[in-house]
């Protein structure tokens, strides 16, 4: 929905992840794939409608290490 995307500052195209952040969800691979898209010159957003699960801090640390912490939008679901 365009109104919801605008409310969260998202412009198409973007990837949407909806779930809890925990190791079994493989969010680290999503972040690495997103970094690869950016490195390939693709302008795409990343929105994570999520809540913190077990070991979620590692995901925030990985986003910082990949240089995408300011581009990936983590929103509580």
């Amino acid at each position: 929905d365009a109104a919801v995307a605008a409310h969260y500052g998202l412009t198409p195209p973007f990837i949407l992840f909806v779930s809890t952040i925990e190791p079994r969800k493989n969010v680290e691979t999503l972040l690495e794939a997103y970094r690869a898209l950016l490195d390939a010159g693709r302008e795409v957003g990343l929105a994570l409608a999520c809540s913190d699960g077990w070991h979620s801090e590692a995901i925030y640390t990985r986003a910082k290490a990949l240089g995408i912490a300011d581009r990936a939008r983590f929103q509580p679901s």
Side-chain angles (χ1 to χ4, degrees):
D1 180 88
V4 174
H7 174 76
Y8 289 102
L10 298 168
T11 55
F14 60 88
I15 299 164
L16 176 62
F17 170 85
V18 181
S19 190
T20 304
I21 295 179
E22 50 191 54
R24 69 188 181 98
K25 302 295 181 160
N26 207 9
V27 180
E28 185 173 347
T29 299
L30 171 62
L31 297 179
E32 291 169 358
Y34 181 62
R35 175 78 260 170
L37 284 171
L38 296 175
D39 290 345
R42 300 286 308 268
E43 274 304 314
V44 62
L46 175 60
L48 298 99
C50 54
S51 57
D52 289 341
W54 56 285
H55 299 294
S56 60
E57 280 305 313
I59 295 303
Y60 300 112
T61 301
R62 186 66 180 140
K64 288 177 188 171
L66 290 168
I68 60 170
D70 60 332
R71 292 188 63 127
R73 303 186 62 100
F74 291 89
Q75 299 289 330
S77 58

